Amino acid sequence: MTENSIQPQSKPTFLGQDRWWHLSFGSIMLIVLIGFLIWAKAYIPGDNHSFLLITAILLGVFMAFNIGGNDVANSFGTSVGAGTLTMKQALLIAAVFEVAGAVIAGGDVTETVRSGIVNLEAITVNPMDFVYIMMAALFGAAIWLLIATKFGLPVSTTHSIIGAIVGASLTVGLLSGNGDPLAMVQWDQIGQIAASWILSPLLGGIIAYFLFGFIKRHILLYNEKADRRLSQLKQDFIDQSGATDEDVDRIGLIQLSAYANARLPKEESNALAREARAALAMGDDPSAEAKFDHALRQLDKGVSEVQAHRALTVWVPLIAAIGSMIITGMLLVKGLKNLHLEFTTVQTVFILLMIGTLVWFAMSIFASTLKGKNLSRATFILFSWMQVFTAAAFAFSHGSNDIANAIGPFAAVLDVLKTGEVSEAAVVPGVVLFAFGVALVVGLWFIGRNVIRTVGTSLTKMHPSSGYAAELAAAMTVMLASQLGLPVSSTHILIGAVLGVGMVNRAANWKMMRPIGLAWVITLPVAAIIGALGVIAIRAIF
């Protein structure tokens, strides 16, 4: 065996090639957790419930960690799958916008019982039993999310926490023997959740199908035809001018067309032509020059007729402007609702118009700067930028809303331990919002890859244009459902939207929907069972 046959790179490394990322995020989570524990000890007076408080904090952070691994990963799946963002880039965007959403618009007050699905007034529940119910709910929902995430199944965190609360509440009701436990559950709400299994993906899929269908018909297919025509023009130019394929690729077909632009003065046009000839090593042969000039004129005429970048300069800015208005509307309706900005309808319309106009101008200028690039590359760049902004908006909206699935029950526990009684609502300190926001991002990094793979590649092959269409369709559906009061899940909506773009390309993986659909159906009962077992264990321990 020679010395060169031993490669140091082949040796297994501790925690793999991303060990420094693992160690960094693990250390950040540990530091935040220790700081959180110190703060909580000072926030809750006395030493009577120290172990209970520590347990509640661990369960709350664990729940936020699993929301990051499933729900946040679901939100970024299309961007990573399309190649718009790498996993690390998605992580950095999530780190800023998820935490910002949680801290800025996570809400000063949150309901102690999520979605009003459980009516604890139906039985007599003492404050500590209420604490046990909320802790068990965090445990049941987090365990189910961890299982689903392990198998790459995107599920609703809201449905998970609701199921766990129902299971824990019913169990406490049965064990206490006070009143009718079944009367605690508002069963019509369960019916609405069941309806969302069908309604959410159906609405998301329909909107995404028509939206991406428009993009494909007016932009992608137009570009494909233009590319084919440009390829033919390139070959004709090579045949007529005597240039080589490598020469033309080095200069670029569009640039060659610019050399022969008829709007330029003749002497300037000739100067440009001489520059092109020199670049192509055509020499000074008069016959070759005449032949080359004729080929240039023919090329310029053909390129002008093709109008290769017309779809990108006309339709993309318009789609971007409309999309920015929809995303802003989603943020106002969902992401920033806890700030109670209370804009009037007229104010909202003008805000949307201002943003849409600015985006239209910006994307028009940006698209014009890409005329020198080939169509496929220019299309990828434009839609990638658009998708980055939608991903960031979704991250902010998610951080400001769905983190409540962890914060809601935890805030209820914190409030009872501090006041000794069950309140209708509980104040959420900023420290809690920050700590749980960090846990979201850490969960995305450590366990989010399987869900990202499912959403980004397993359901259908993604491109920045199809990924943008899916995210925009999801935002439109969320807005529409919010205005109409329809029971929908943002997770289910996005899955339906991804399938919608897959249907346009005739590449939707319906087999993958079988385990996902099954996971949606069993989320409530499985989380309820784990929550029930959890509350029994917690009552026995404490």
Side-chain angles (χ1 to χ4, degrees), residues 230-445:
L230 289 175
S231 296
Q232 184 60 51
L233 288 172
K234 173 185 172 182
Q235 188 59 50
D236 292 343
F237 175 74
I238 291 172
D239 293 341
Q240 294 176 23
S241 68
T244 66
D245 188 79
E246 292 77 10
D247 290 331
V248 177
D249 285 341
R250 187 173 68 252
I251 296 178
L253 202 65
I254 304 299
Q255 286 83 350
L256 279 170
S257 173
Y259 293 146
N261 194 310
R263 290 174 295 177
L264 291 173
K266 181 174 176 53
E267 59 275 11
E268 189 174 349
S269 178
N270 288 338
L272 288 169
R274 283 195 297 274
E275 181 184 342
R277 284 195 296 272
L280 293 171
M282 294 298 300
D284 295 324
D285 182 7
S287 61
E289 286 191 16
K291 187 177 180 182
F292 180 78
D293 285 341
H294 176 72
L296 270 179
R297 294 288 185 268
Q298 293 298 111
L299 175 66
D300 180 58
K301 180 181 178 182
V303 169
S304 299
E305 290 175 351
V306 171
Q307 294 184 313
H309 287 76
R310 181 176 180 276
L312 297 184
T313 55
V314 173
W315 287 115
V316 170
L318 182 60
I319 292 171
I322 295 173
S324 68
M325 295 168 69
I326 292 170
I327 293 295
T328 303
M330 182 195 71
L331 288 177
L332 292 175
V333 169
K334 188 178 180 184
L336 297 171
K337 67 178 182 180
N338 294 327
L339 296 182
H340 307 293
L341 299 176
E342 297 179 353
F343 290 119
T344 65
T345 302
V346 174
Q347 289 173 327
T348 301
V349 169
F350 273 100
I351 289 173
L352 298 181
L353 286 175
M354 285 192 301
I355 291 174
T357 302
L358 286 174
V359 170
W360 182 82
F361 271 111
M363 291 304 295
S364 295
I365 295 171
F366 190 20
S368 297
T369 65
L370 296 176
K371 284 186 176 181
K373 294 186 178 293
N374 67 64
L375 283 175
S376 60
R377 182 60 183 165
T379 304
F380 185 93
I381 291 172
L382 285 171
F383 277 103
S384 292
W385 274 101
M386 291 157 65
Q387 196 178 15
V388 166
F389 284 108
T390 55
F394 263 101
F396 183 89
S397 178
H398 183 272
S400 63
N401 281 273
D402 287 0
I403 197 172
N405 291 320
I407 287 179
F410 178 77
V413 172
L414 207 62
D415 188 63
V416 171
L417 295 181
K418 185 175 179 62
T419 65
E421 59 184 21
V422 179
S423 304
E424 287 295 323
V427 175
V428 183
V431 174
V432 179
L433 294 170
F434 176 76
F436 280 40
V438 171
L440 282 178
V441 178
V442 175
L444 170 64
W445 172 254

Side-chain angles (χ1 to χ4, degrees), residues 57-67 138-139 142-143 146 439:
I57 288 174
L58 293 177
L59 288 174
V61 170
F62 183 52
M63 176 62 177
F65 177 89
N66 284 286
I67 291 175
L138 290 170
F139 174 76
I143 292 297
L146 183 63

